[in-house]
Amino acid sequence: MALNPRIVSVEFTGNKKTLDYIIEREIQHKIDVPLDSVVANKDRNRLENLGLFSEVIWNIIPMDAERAILSFVLSESIQRTPPGAFPIYEEDTGWSFMGAWILQNFRGRNQILHLNGSIGGKDTYGVSFLDPWMFGNHVSLSLNLSRLIYNHNFLDMQIDVNSFEIGLGKWFGDFIKTSTSIEIEKKSFSDKQTLDTFIYIAPRFSIKYDTRDIYWNPSKGVLLSQFIYYRKGIDPKNYTMTIWRQSYSIYYKINSTKKKLVLAFNIKSKFKYGVKDEYDLNYFGDSFTVRGWSLPDNNLFSSGKETFRFGHESAQATVELRKDIIPKYATKLGTEFGLGIVAFYDIGTINHSWDRIIKMSPMSGAGIGIRIPAPMLDVIRLDYGWGYKDGEWNSGALHLGFEQKF
């Protein structure tokens, strides 16, 4: 058979739930042309990035010495949960018991329908819907209606949030991705003596330049993003603020084997304009900021011992060395499994204004972690690190999270 046989047709197998056109629109290799392995690999990556398949493999089926079929073999992952209840964990609110019905591939059309409610660290109920091709080529629609009640992790207050959000998204080509949404929200902060309620409308906009090959665990490419959030107070009217977030990530594979060794860098910043009160304070010391620090609580915040961990505006950077130990594969049960290890170093500063940030010494954290791919979650992330500030290391902290830090 010829080294690059002429492809006479493209076939795919294994999609028991996913409709054919969902797959066809991701495959760009043409027929009646010689095999282009670069295009076939990009098609494979696009199919995996749908989040519907535990494994995607392409190969060629010879027809004769000059012709072949390009074949994609798909292993569908778990795409829905049965209506039921199970424990969930979030770093800032702890454990909750969730009742949920998650349909990751609703009607076989790559739509997501999520009905949920929980009690425990966070009391919630809500419904959300996403269709990434609602109005044609990568023009998406999202809807979310929810209520959340939880205790603030470092302010001695309970938060009650009612919100409705509608969003639209559009890709321009393969790499430029935009989204915009508008949210109407009512948020209350209460303790034994105080009840403060805010009603506001919040439009937001993001734009990304994304050349990553595999979204959940990139081996090459860049991800550059800009995010603008504007909050306009309705009651009170002066409850107005603008947030501008920037993030820049780059990924580089430094070996040539199937077990990837990837060097990944990220820098990000946050600016705030307008009303900056205690309710809107952010902090460092979780799985998405500077790792190696225990989560702050009310005792730490009230003591004033680590004021360098709280603020409204921030800058941070991360470098990670990511190594595949067991490359992701599909099990006989249709789930994916794999294992990766990570060495990381985080550094950053947070304070009430940029004038203060540029004058203060940064906090940092270093450590190791493991990564386990999981259906509908992308990846389970467990990190242990040690924090460093002004010449001293702390005793370390464990972080459990989902999805990559960047």
Side-chain angles (χ1 to χ4, degrees), residues 105-126:
N105 191 14
F106 183 51
R107 301 190 299 159
R109 300 172 185 267
N110 194 25
Q111 299 169 335
I112 299 174
L113 178 63
H114 190 178
L115 309 172
N116 71 84
S118 68
I119 58 173
K122 181 182 287 187
D123 298 334
T124 70
Y125 59 82

Side-chain angles (χ1 to χ4, degrees), residues 125-183:
Y125 59 82
V127 57
S128 61
F129 173 80
L130 170 65
D131 187 331
W133 284 63
M134 186 70 179
F135 304 109
N137 188 354
H138 286 109
V139 182
S140 63
L141 171 71
S142 62
L143 299 167
N144 183 67
L145 177 67
S146 65
R147 185 180 185 187
L148 299 81
I149 303 173
Y150 59 97
N151 292 323
H152 199 287
N153 61 317
F154 63 83
L155 298 179
D156 189 18
M157 287 193 160
Q158 185 180 78
I159 302 175
D160 186 344
V161 183
N162 291 269
S163 69
F164 172 73
E165 183 178 10
I166 182 170
L168 296 171
K170 179 174 174 54
W171 288 22
F172 295 89
D174 292 330
F175 303 135
I176 298 176
K177 307 172 183 181
T178 65
S179 66
T180 185
S181 67
I182 188 165
E183 179 181 33

Side-chain angles (χ1 to χ4, degrees), residues 24-192:
E24 290 167 350
R25 68 193 185 190
E26 303 295 336
I27 298 175
Q28 297 183 5
H29 199 293
K30 299 183 183 301
I31 60 173
D32 292 326
V33 299
L35 171 69
D36 189 330
S37 60
V38 173
V39 176
N41 280 325
K42 289 182 178 180
D43 289 345
R44 191 208 74 82
N45 290 347
R46 274 190 291 271
L47 290 168
E48 179 160 332
N49 286 337
L50 292 175
L52 305 178
F53 307 107
S54 299
E55 189 173 56
V56 181
I57 299 172
W58 71 267
N59 52 53
I60 55 174
I61 302 173
M63 300 289 290
D64 53 38
E66 300 294 333
R67 301 179 304 156
I69 297 170
L70 175 60
S71 173
F72 290 88
V73 181
L74 313 169
S75 298
E76 287 186 322
S77 64
I78 294 175
Q79 299 175 358
R80 64 179 64 195
T81 62
F86 46 88
I88 61 169
Y89 177 81
E90 294 181 75
E91 270 195 304
D92 55 348
T93 58
W95 288 97
S96 300
F97 199 63
M98 171 177 279
W101 189 23
I102 303 172
L103 303 176
Q104 185 80 5
N105 191 14
F106 183 51
R107 301 190 299 159
R109 300 172 185 267
N110 194 25
Q111 299 169 335
I112 299 174
L113 178 63
H114 190 178
L115 309 172
N116 71 84
S118 68
I119 58 173
K122 181 182 287 187
D123 298 334
T124 70
Y125 59 82
V127 57
S128 61
F129 173 80
L130 170 65
D131 187 331
W133 284 63
M134 186 70 179
F135 304 109
N137 188 354
H138 286 109
V139 182
S140 63
L141 171 71
S142 62
L143 299 167
N144 183 67
L145 177 67
S146 65
R147 185 180 185 187
L148 299 81
I149 303 173
Y150 59 97
N151 292 323
H152 199 287
N153 61 317
F154 63 83
L155 298 179
D156 189 18
M157 287 193 160
Q158 185 180 78
I159 302 175
D160 186 344
V161 183
N162 291 269
S163 69
F164 172 73
E165 183 178 10
I166 182 170
L168 296 171
K170 179 174 174 54
W171 288 22
F172 295 89
D174 292 330
F175 303 135
I176 298 176
K177 307 172 183 181
T178 65
S179 66
T180 185
S181 67
I182 188 165
E183 179 181 33
I184 300 175
E185 191 162 270
K186 177 183 178 182
K187 182 180 286 189
S188 298
F189 299 83
S190 61
D191 58 20
K192 294 179 181 179

Side-chain angles (χ1 to χ4, degrees), residues 227-230 241-245 270-273:
F227 173 82
I228 299 290
Y229 169 91
Y230 176 68
M241 181 179 66
T242 301
I243 297 175
W244 173 30
R245 291 203 308 260
K270 176 187 283 187
F271 297 80
K272 284 186 181 180
Y273 309 92

Side-chain angles (χ1 to χ4, degrees), residues 213-220 251 260 262 322 324 404:
D213 52 352
I214 299 295
Y215 297 160
W216 82 271
N217 187 23
S219 61
K220 63 180 180 179
Y251 311 86
K260 298 185 293 187
V262 176
R322 304 173 177 178
D324 284 347
Q404 298 282 11

